[in-house]
Amino acid sequence: MRVTQQDIARISEVSQATVSRVLAGDERVDGQIRDRVLAVMNTHNYRPDVRARSLRQRKTHLIGLVIKREVGSLQDDPFFAMLIAEVVDALAGSPWHLCLDIAADTARQHSIYDELLRTRRVDGLILVESEASDERILRLQQDHFPFVLIGNAAEMPELHAIDNDNFRAAEIATSHLLEQGYRRIAFLAGPKTLTVTRDREAGYRNVVPEAIVAYTDFGAHSAREAAAQLLDAYQPDAILAMDDTMAMGVIQAARERILAIPQDLGVVGFNDTPLCDHVEGGLTSVNLQIGNMVQWAIRRLVAVIDDTSVLGGRQAIMGCELMVRGSSVRGKL
Amino acid sequence: MRVTQQDIARISEVSQATVSRVLAGDERVDGQIRDRVLAVMNTHNYRPDVRARSLRQRKTHLIGLVIKREVGSLQDDPFFAMLIAEVVDALAGSPWHLCLDIAADTARQHSIYDELLRTRRVDGLILVESEASDERILRLQQDHFPFVLIGNAAEMPELHAIDNDNFRAAEIATSHLLEQGYRRIAFLAGPKTLTVTRDREAGYRNVVPEAIVAYTDFGAHSAREAAAQLLDAYQPDAILAMDDTMAMGVIQAARERILAIPQDLGVVGFNDTPLCDHVEGGLTSVNLQIGNMVQWAIRRLVAVIDDTSVLGGRQAIMGCELMVRGSSVRGKL
DNA sequence: TCGCGTTAAGAATACGTATTCTGAATCAGA
DNA sequence: TCTGATTCAGAATACGTATTCTTAACGCGA
């Protein structure tokens, strides 16, 4: 049988309320009694039942991380693994725990919402890669449910959100390719509906002399096909891909055409994942400081949950850094 | 304010108990009343509070997945991403949710145990890559806490566990290299304490004419260094690596030495991760059917939690399949 | 018509904790 | 010495649900 506060109280010859107070570190309880209760707790290996605590305090201390993607993309794209790892890391040692859900299709998304917040399983949500007009966000808002966005939310300044400066990131990456002497730089973009796609495309267009853009789905496979078409139709001498996984697809397409990297084709990705080191000579990529973003998001989310007054604005933009490796460096021509 | 069973009861002009019964699909409640209550639930958008339910039923419907690795290895090694993805997938649509924790150091591991099971946050645990003499397992056993192992537990047949046939897997991979004409085949092993390492080493030794073994930590970086030493000291013509990530390290080391793959060096990995497609010509790898393992583990865990009589033995061994790609095929010499 | 078994819903309770309410004891001030 | 404030711990309650206990109504056989 499980040992409860009632048991501890009986053995310590105090009331259950006192045990609870000791547990909470209440100053008003007498030192001698406190020590006695603590000792009993210790010998009986007591730990409070989080289920009862959740009911009473109306707080589960669980944070939901909801990713709107195919479950399989978790394997293909290290970005999400990085994200999850950072969340786990940021939560380590805190009283908070992670509840993870991933789904792309709308029906499943809705059931996740039902399960996670309407039943009050989690205290707050972190949303990743939501679209601008995401109907889920409206539901969360009208339910007054605590949540934080990772991704662009410029159109809704009342939301708590953190994002990269994707415009600038694409500018920097494109400029770098120009400096390296590449002239026909194509942008292999993600789905057109995502704000992250639009932001980067805008940054790219702002710098490039002549824009060549192709939209495709995430993943190495789609990227490979799209890159093949791009290469055949436009003969670009460099491709900026939406992420490293797609850049790998680009590299595969280049191999098939016996294009040497970086001589014949410069390639740059995003996210600075471990994939970059698996490319011969290294893959140039934009580091988006996911760790910082996640830390901000969690700090903010916890503050919202605890109803702490939030310092600063509701949105933040994280800087980024171009990690130059072999795939984009051929020296000036 | 949140709508509760009490509210539904009041509006439907029945007792709270009846509402609860309707929710449970209790046959004994009158059809007319049931419809009325359901209608009220619907219009008021009622969903039961999972916190109260957890307390009452002594069940949180949360499953903990505990990975004993550095948090960072989640990014480096797609294996864990695959594992997590499979768990999420297997849980989708079920009443169960995933609580994820990752940590390598012992202190943090212990606090995870405190947090997850002694406070009854989760109903059961899935453990991955535990060592044979893992002290955590003893604690779980004496607490009678439901858990399932993914990994070898042959020494403890009373545990519920599922594993690959790692002996056979290593045999198959090694035999394949022999068939391809490789003669000096080295095994780049993981930490010596892990049973998975020992099992595979045994399978390898069982087939190879002359054994060359090096132990190292997981991850591409350690593998690269270890492979470099291996190549310089023993001039093997093929290397069997513990996983695909380590195989990538091997490939890097080979590149530095201008060794062509597969001509000068054959390489085989484990796990059949997406990394395999990122290698020129493809990386040969052993597919361990993680999906099947995870499904077995979860089915079993849920059965143990629900105290359902378990059919079949307590342990199962999953088959595997060698996915032959370019990195190990040079035709017979 | 009486009594008993059966059915169906309400009343009451328990799950383990945090917190408010209550009361006894102590202490300070006059 | 008495009064009122203060301190500290116990009693009581609530959180929202599931379930056991209880009771009222009904049907059926004698």
Side-chain angles (χ1 to χ4, degrees):
Chain A
M1 216 46 238
R2 182 151 180 69
V3 45
T4 146
Q5 279 191 7
Q6 202 60 257
D7 303 327
I8 301 297
R10 196 167 19 78
I11 300 169
S12 312
E13 294 176 317
V14 294
S15 73
Q16 176 263 323
T18 302
V19 176
S20 176
R21 284 193 266 256
V22 169
L23 208 60
D26 195 317
E27 293 293 337
R28 296 171 311 175
V29 53
D30 182 80
Q32 203 166 341
I33 294 185
R34 176 165 45 78
D35 293 346
R36 198 168 76 224
V37 172
L38 284 175
V40 174
M41 281 183 178
N42 233 318
T43 60
H44 288 75
N45 216 5
Y46 169 79
R47 302 248 36 206
D49 187 317
V50 80
R51 299 168 300 190
R53 195 172 258 198
S54 293
L55 176 58
R56 174 65 225 222
Q57 303 187 142
R58 332 180 111 211
K59 209 190 252 191
T60 60
H61 280 286
L62 272 177
I63 286 181
L65 177 63
V66 180
I67 297 176
K68 193 175 182 178
R69 275 281 190 96
E70 295 294 339
V71 173
S73 61
L74 184 58
Q75 326 166 12
D76 301 332
D77 193 342
F79 171 76
F80 294 103
M82 293 173 79
L83 189 75
I84 294 171
E86 293 291 353
V87 171
V88 169
D89 204 43
L91 257 33
S94 83
W96 297 89
H97 285 261
L98 171 63
C99 187
L100 179 65
D101 266 299
I102 308 170
D105 68 299
T106 314
R108 175 89 191 107
Q109 276 280 331
H110 276 104
S111 88
I112 288 177
Y113 275 65
D114 265 13
E115 285 296 313
L116 289 193
L117 56 268
R118 292 191 45 214
T119 66
R120 302 277 153 168
R121 185 176 282 289
V122 300
D123 293 336
L125 237 44
I126 295 181
L127 300 185
V128 185
E129 275 204 357
S130 47
E131 300 172 31
S133 61
D134 201 322
E135 116 185 67
R136 305 176 298 168
I137 291 177
L138 270 87
R139 291 188 50 186
L140 289 168
Q141 274 189 299
Q142 64 194 25
D143 287 352
H144 297 286
F145 198 86
F147 71 107
V148 171
L149 250 46
I150 293 186
N152 189 312
E155 300 96 342
M156 308 183 75
E158 70 276 19
L159 302 184
H160 296 276
I162 180 146
D163 196 15
N164 295 107
D165 192 346
N166 280 306
F167 182 93
R168 184 98 188 89
E171 267 191 351
I172 291 173
T174 311
S175 300
H176 161 74
L177 285 168
L178 286 170
E179 278 168 24
Q180 290 294 322
Y182 296 103
R183 284 296 164 259
R184 289 182 62 77
I185 304 172
F187 179 42
L188 185 54
K192 210 170 183 170
T193 53
L194 298 180
T195 48
V196 60
T197 299
R198 293 186 227 165
D199 291 349
R200 289 185 188 165
E201 182 179 343
Y204 158 81
R205 285 184 185 274
N206 198 39
V207 179
V208 84
E210 185 188 1
I212 308 170
V213 178
Y215 305 94
T216 186
D217 289 331
F218 288 111
H221 193 73
S222 324
R224 181 183 190 160
E225 290 179 5
Q229 290 182 19
L230 216 46
L231 289 170
D232 294 343
Y234 298 98
Q235 289 87 34
D237 60 359
I239 296 183
L240 174 63
M242 263 308 266
D243 62 33
D244 293 340
T245 307
M246 292 174 72
M248 295 305 282
V250 170
I251 290 173
Q252 286 169 15
R255 272 189 203 134
E256 291 167 0
R257 284 158 184 72
I258 323 183
L259 293 173
I261 293 170
Q263 292 76 26
D264 302 329
L265 187 73
V267 181
V268 174
F270 277 82
N271 294 351
D272 193 26
T273 58
L275 288 182
C276 298
D277 290 325
H278 295 156
V279 173
E280 185 160 4
L283 171 64
T284 297
S285 187
V286 183
N287 183 307
L288 297 178
Q289 318 223 33
I290 301 174
N292 289 339
M293 288 178 60
V294 166
Q295 279 171 34
W296 187 96
I298 288 178
R299 252 201 307 276
R300 175 58 55 97
L301 181 57
V302 169
V304 173
I305 292 171
D306 290 342
D307 210 17
T308 313
S309 59
V310 173
L311 349 77
R314 299 196 151 221
Q315 307 205 342
I317 290 182
M318 212 43 77
C320 61
E321 193 181 353
L322 184 70
M323 309 300 286
V324 178
R325 298 193 183 84
S327 69
S328 66
V329 176
R330 60 175 183 188
K332 304 206 175 73
L333 290 185
Chain B
M1 216 46 240
R2 183 151 178 72
V3 45
T4 145
Q5 278 191 7
Q6 202 58 257
D7 302 328
I8 301 296
R10 195 166 23 75
I11 300 168
S12 313
E13 294 176 317
V14 295
S15 73
Q16 176 262 322
T18 301
V19 176
S20 177
R21 285 194 264 257
V22 169
L23 209 60
D26 194 317
E27 293 293 336
R28 297 172 311 178
V29 52
D30 180 82
Q32 203 166 343
I33 293 186
R34 177 166 44 79
D35 292 346
R36 198 169 77 223
V37 172
L38 284 175
V40 173
M41 280 182 177
N42 231 318
T43 59
H44 288 76
N45 217 5
Y46 168 79
R47 301 250 36 208
D49 187 320
V50 82
R51 299 168 299 192
R53 194 171 260 197
S54 294
L55 175 58
R56 175 64 225 223
Q57 304 187 141
R58 329 176 114 211
K59 207 189 254 191
T60 60
H61 279 285
L62 272 178
I63 286 180
L65 176 63
V66 180
I67 297 176
K68 193 175 182 178
R69 277 282 191 95
E70 295 293 340
V71 173
S73 61
L74 184 58
Q75 324 166 13
D76 301 333
D77 192 343
F79 171 75
F80 294 104
M82 292 173 79
L83 189 76
I84 293 170
E86 293 292 351
V87 172
V88 168
D89 204 41
L91 258 33
S94 83
W96 298 90
H97 285 260
L98 170 64
C99 187
L100 178 66
D101 265 298
I102 307 170
D105 68 299
T106 314
R108 176 87 192 110
Q109 276 278 332
H110 276 102
S111 89
I112 288 177
Y113 276 65
D114 265 14
E115 284 296 314
L116 288 194
L117 56 268
R118 293 191 45 216
T119 66
R120 302 278 154 167
R121 185 176 283 288
V122 300
D123 293 335
L125 238 43
I126 294 181
L127 300 186
V128 185
E129 275 202 0
S130 47
E131 299 171 33
S133 61
D134 200 321
E135 118 185 65
R136 304 176 300 166
I137 291 177
L138 271 87
R139 292 188 50 185
L140 288 168
Q141 273 189 300
Q142 66 194 25
D143 287 353
H144 297 285
F145 198 86
F147 71 107
V148 172
L149 251 46
I150 292 186
N152 189 310
E155 301 97 342
M156 309 184 75
E158 71 276 18
L159 301 184
H160 295 277
I162 181 148
D163 197 15
N164 296 107
D165 192 345
N166 280 307
F167 182 92
R168 183 99 188 87
E171 267 191 350
I172 291 174
T174 311
S175 301
H176 162 73
L177 285 168
L178 286 170
E179 278 170 24
Q180 290 294 322
Y182 295 103
R183 284 294 164 261
R184 291 182 60 76
I185 304 172
F187 180 41
L188 185 55
K192 209 171 185 171
T193 52
L194 297 180
T195 48
V196 60
T197 299
R198 293 187 227 164
D199 292 348
R200 289 185 188 165
E201 182 179 344
Y204 158 80
R205 285 185 186 274
N206 197 40
V207 179
V208 86
E210 184 188 2
I212 307 169
V213 178
Y215 306 94
T216 185
D217 289 331
F218 288 110
H221 194 71
S222 325
R224 180 183 190 160
E225 291 178 4
Q229 290 182 20
L230 216 45
L231 289 170
D232 294 343
Y234 298 97
Q235 288 86 34
D237 60 1
I239 295 183
L240 175 62
M242 265 305 268
D243 63 32
D244 293 340
T245 309
M246 291 173 73
M248 295 305 283
V250 170
I251 291 173
Q252 286 169 16
R255 271 189 204 135
E256 291 167 359
R257 283 156 185 74
I258 323 185
L259 293 173
I261 293 170
Q263 291 77 26
D264 303 328
L265 186 73
V267 181
V268 173
F270 278 82
N271 294 352
D272 193 26
T273 58
L275 288 182
C276 298
D277 290 325
H278 295 156
V279 174
E280 185 159 4
L283 171 65
T284 297
S285 186
V286 183
N287 183 308
L288 297 177
Q289 317 225 34
I290 301 175
N292 288 339
M293 289 179 57
V294 166
Q295 279 171 34
W296 187 96
I298 288 178
R299 253 201 308 273
R300 175 58 54 98
L301 181 58
V302 169
V304 173
I305 292 172
D306 290 343
D307 208 17
T308 314
S309 60
V310 173
L311 348 77
R314 297 195 155 224
Q315 306 205 343
I317 290 184
M318 212 43 76
C320 62
E321 193 182 352
L322 185 69
M323 308 300 285
V324 178
R325 298 193 182 85
S327 67
S328 66
V329 176
R330 62 176 180 187
K332 304 205 174 74
L333 290 186

